Amino acid sequence: MAKLKIAGTWAGVLEVELDVWTVPMLREEVAKRSNCGPDSINLICAGKVLKDGDGNEKLSQLGVKNNAKILASRICAQDGKSEFMAEEERSSRLARVRAAATALAKRHADGSLPVEDFNIELEDQSGRQVQLGTETDQRAIMLGLMLHTNAKQLIRRKNYKDALDVLTMAEEAFSLCDPKVIELIDNPPILQIDMVWCYFMLRDISWLSVAGARLEKARKGIEQAHGKDSSRVRLLQGGRFPELALHLRLELLEGVVAYHSGQFDKSRKVLTSAQTKFIQLQVPDEALSLVISMGFKERDAKRALRMNNQDVGGAVDYLVEQKAKKEQKQEEDIQRKIEIMEQKKYGVTPLKKAVDLQRLSELVSIGFEKDLAAEALRRNENDTEKALDDLTNPETNSSIQLDIESRKRKRQQQKTDAKIEALVRMGFERSKVVEACQTGGSIEQVMQKLLTETASSHTDSTTNNNIQSEGIPAVASNDVENSSANDVGGPSTTGEVEDRDAEMEDELTGELANADAMSDYDIEITQEGEAVNEYLALLDSAGK
């Protein structure tokens, strides 16, 4: 009897007669132990998928030997109709992801007025805002980063097939960038590693040759971005080692590709190096407990210890720094939201760009009224010189002031009209609503006045109760607020708001908000360690 080491859907050792057992027999036995049907089990040995053939070929004839390692993976068996429906749904979602990411990148890279109350900006690992290349480069990088972030979420959920499709879209986005700009960032090479990781987790050997090329590209890209021997990263991170886990995964994948390509010496070399990194990244329980006892979360403590070569003092310093940076970032985000609300008040330029607040401050600092200066910049596409010409020309200056006053009256009228329509929808008589609104006040105040008048005229109390219980004031308030936000100087952004896929955009921006500069390096390395040991064992069993 020969022994086969099974891993994957079920892990253990099977005793078989290689000259008697066939692939269907092995598949059925593994499926039984995996609690699933034989049709849902895929078997891989030495990089080759074991196929049933004519059903009579013995395992020995297929090259399966004693102590061979068999990888068992589960595949979904679906009927044609449900499979078609699932594929349709999947394709539709991927199209939505791409469209939403493209729309967000366009709005937040070209200076357009954000539809939202936040702005997406490119930052380096230190959290500093950076300007990379042209507007086209900025847009391409933003698009690539959003798609890459979405793909990483899919990888965490073990949805590797969809993750590959999204990663492919992200790769295409990065390819639109100037190559010199791409060399400055490590996101594209990390994306290559993530793609090969998906191949590996899917146990898809058909991608073997592509995987090798991608890993070469990744190694070259990481060296360009991080510097030789990670010198640039070490400098930026104050001597810390954030990239170790990433290099562990890279070396594991290089070892796997080399193994399945028959390059056994190379495979053992890189796998041994990966094993050394895995050992180096093991966090001692004592050190972990000590850092957690200081009030930090376990995940954060592990990350900090790994980045600081298990040094407790360095880990604590890092965590304190990160906390301070996070608090500063929150303050900056609040300030940015305030600025965006101010920009919305001034409206958009003829090319639908927001008013540049820095240039506005410069004009205000030399004595011009803020609203007047903002309108001059809006009219002139944020060209300070042209705006100054308009502001210092008495005739043009007077015209701008008249326009501002006209728009203020228009905005006020729109607020009043929206208030009237909201109250009429609640059931109040239009003529009484119009009369009540003429005295001014918020929608709640006007509604209270109408209710008081209704009660005093002995109207049926049930009607009053129904009006009060509808709970529409919040909706009405939103209507008023939106009408004000959209009635701005210059072209309205209402059409853009209506067309956006808010649900998908919210999902993408939520993923960005939850990520941080170190998330690409913060890899839970358990699977990597198991895979390294697995392939080193394969090399040992083959005597390589």
Side-chain angles (χ1 to χ4, degrees), residues 155-168:
I155 290 172
R156 289 188 187 97
R157 295 197 290 265
K158 300 184 179 180
N159 188 351
Y160 302 111
K161 186 178 180 183
D162 283 359
L164 270 174
D165 286 328
V166 178
L167 287 168
T168 301

Side-chain angles (χ1 to χ4, degrees), residues 405-535:
E405 288 302 318
S406 174
R407 275 201 303 278
K408 282 182 179 178
R409 287 194 297 272
K410 183 181 176 183
R411 278 198 295 272
Q412 187 57 46
Q413 187 59 49
Q414 284 182 329
K415 285 183 181 180
T416 302
D417 290 345
K419 194 188 304 179
I420 290 170
E421 293 305 319
L423 290 166
V424 169
R425 287 199 300 272
M426 293 182 203
F428 294 106
E429 186 181 332
R430 182 178 291 274
S431 60
K432 291 184 178 180
V433 170
V434 171
E435 183 180 348
C437 284
Q438 287 175 350
T439 59
S442 67
I443 189 169
E444 290 81 7
Q445 291 170 328
V446 174
M447 184 173 66
Q448 189 59 46
K449 182 179 179 182
L450 288 166
L451 288 170
T452 303
E453 290 175 355
T454 304
S456 65
S457 61
H458 308 291
T459 305
D460 187 347
S461 62
T462 305
T463 305
N464 290 336
N465 290 336
N466 287 339
I467 293 173
Q468 287 178 308
S469 66
E470 288 189 28
I472 307 182
V475 177
S477 296
N478 285 339
D479 287 341
V480 174
E481 183 181 336
N482 288 339
S483 68
S484 174
N486 287 327
D487 177 37
V488 291
S492 170
T493 58
T494 306
E496 188 174 5
V497 175
E498 291 174 351
D499 291 340
R500 63 188 285 252
D501 185 345
E503 181 184 4
M504 185 55 70
E505 288 186 10
D506 288 346
E507 181 179 322
L508 291 174
T509 52
E511 290 167 355
L512 289 173
N514 291 326
D516 61 53
M518 293 292 108
S519 60
D520 280 328
Y521 308 103
D522 191 19
I523 299 172
E524 180 50 58
I525 57 173
T526 304
Q527 288 178 303
E528 284 79 358
E530 291 173 354
V532 167
N533 291 332
E534 174 189 322
Y535 274 86

Side-chain angles (χ1 to χ4, degrees), residues 16-119:
V16 305
E17 293 184 61
L18 297 176
D19 293 328
V20 176
W21 280 53
T22 62
V23 172
M25 291 170 64
L26 177 61
R27 191 192 313 281
E28 186 174 351
E29 184 63 28
V30 172
K32 183 168 64 177
R33 294 169 185 257
S34 302
N35 296 317
C36 60
D39 291 340
S40 64
I41 289 292
N42 203 28
L43 300 174
I44 301 171
C45 180
K48 296 179 181 178
V49 177
L50 296 180
K51 297 183 179 179
D52 294 354
D54 59 11
N56 294 320
E57 284 184 296
K58 311 306 178 189
L59 294 178
S60 58
Q61 293 175 295
L62 296 173
V64 179
K65 299 178 181 179
N66 184 34
N67 288 323
K69 191 71 174 279
I70 307 289
L71 298 177
S73 59
R74 185 169 294 178
I75 56 176
C76 295
Q78 295 178 306
D79 60 76
K81 184 177 179 180
S82 61
E83 187 176 356
F84 175 77
M85 294 291 289
E87 187 60 31
E88 283 283 297
E89 184 179 345
R90 180 172 166 274
S91 298
S92 174
R93 178 177 172 77
L94 290 172
R96 286 180 64 201
V97 169
R98 184 187 187 104
T102 301
L104 282 167
K106 181 179 184 298
R107 285 206 300 274
H108 291 271
D110 64 359
S112 295
L113 184 66
V115 175
E116 312 85 353
D117 63 349
F118 61 85
N119 198 24

Side-chain angles (χ1 to χ4, degrees), residues 116-139:
E116 312 85 353
D117 63 349
F118 61 85
N119 198 24
I120 301 172
E121 296 167 334
L122 296 177
E123 297 176 347
D124 62 16
Q125 290 178 357
S126 301
R128 293 189 298 258
Q129 188 178 342
V130 293
Q131 186 79 24
L132 296 172
T134 64
E135 181 184 306
T136 301
D137 294 329
Q138 290 269 113
R139 186 184 302 181

Side-chain angles (χ1 to χ4, degrees), residues 209-225:
S209 60
V210 179
R214 289 193 181 283
L215 293 175
E216 287 180 17
K217 195 173 180 180
R219 184 167 284 282
K220 181 181 178 183
I222 286 175
E223 184 169 321
Q224 286 175 334

Side-chain angles (χ1 to χ4, degrees), residues 140-141 144-145 148 170-177 182 185 187-188 191:
I141 292 173
L145 290 177
H148 192 186
E171 182 181 36
E172 181 185 347
F174 284 132
S175 72
L176 300 176
C177 242
I182 287 295
I185 58 177
N187 306 90
L191 180 144

Side-chain angles (χ1 to χ4, degrees), residues 165-351:
D165 286 328
V166 178
L167 287 168
T168 301
M169 291 191 289
E171 182 181 36
E172 181 185 347
F174 284 132
S175 72
L176 300 176
C177 242
D178 183 337
K180 292 182 179 178
V181 173
I182 287 295
E183 288 178 5
L184 301 173
I185 58 177
D186 62 5
N187 306 90
I190 292 174
L191 180 144
Q192 299 294 328
I193 296 173
D194 287 340
M195 292 187 86
V196 181
W197 179 251
C198 289
Y199 301 156
F200 176 67
M201 296 307 293
L202 290 168
R203 298 297 192 263
D204 192 343
I205 302 302
S206 65
W207 290 95
L208 191 60
S209 60
V210 179
R214 289 193 181 283
L215 293 175
E216 287 180 17
K217 195 173 180 180
R219 184 167 284 282
K220 181 181 178 183
I222 286 175
E223 184 169 321
Q224 286 175 334
H226 290 184
K228 192 169 182 61
D229 298 323
S230 299
S231 56
R232 190 174 298 136
V233 170
R234 208 70 67 245
L235 183 63
L236 288 172
Q237 295 298 325
R240 298 187 176 103
F241 302 81
E243 79 290 352
L244 271 182
L246 182 67
H247 280 271
L248 163 59
R249 179 176 284 186
L250 173 60
E251 289 178 349
L252 160 65
L253 296 172
E254 287 175 332
V256 171
V257 169
Y259 174 82
H260 289 296
S261 302
Q263 299 173 294
F264 300 117
D265 289 342
K266 178 182 177 182
S267 179
R268 182 174 289 280
K269 180 180 178 181
V270 290
L271 287 171
T272 302
S273 176
Q275 189 177 54
T276 301
K277 289 182 174 62
F278 177 74
I279 294 169
Q280 187 178 347
L281 288 165
Q282 296 309 297
V283 177
D285 291 340
E286 185 180 350
L288 181 61
S289 298
L290 189 56
V291 176
I292 292 174
S293 69
M294 297 180 192
F296 298 106
K297 294 179 181 178
E298 181 178 348
R299 183 186 178 96
D300 296 335
K302 273 188 177 180
R303 174 197 278 195
L305 285 165
R306 284 173 175 167
M307 286 184 60
N308 289 275
N309 205 18
Q310 317 306 338
D311 178 68
V312 173
V316 172
D317 289 344
Y318 169 78
L319 289 167
V320 171
E321 287 174 18
Q322 291 303 301
K323 185 179 179 181
K325 284 181 180 179
K326 186 176 182 180
E327 290 172 352
Q328 183 183 349
K329 183 71 167 57
Q330 288 173 340
E331 291 178 4
E332 290 172 353
D333 287 344
I334 292 170
Q335 182 58 39
R336 183 61 184 130
K337 286 182 180 181
I338 293 171
E339 290 175 352
I340 289 171
M341 294 306 294
E342 182 181 356
Q343 286 178 310
K344 287 183 177 181
K345 182 177 73 172
Y346 300 134
V348 292
T349 70
L351 293 180

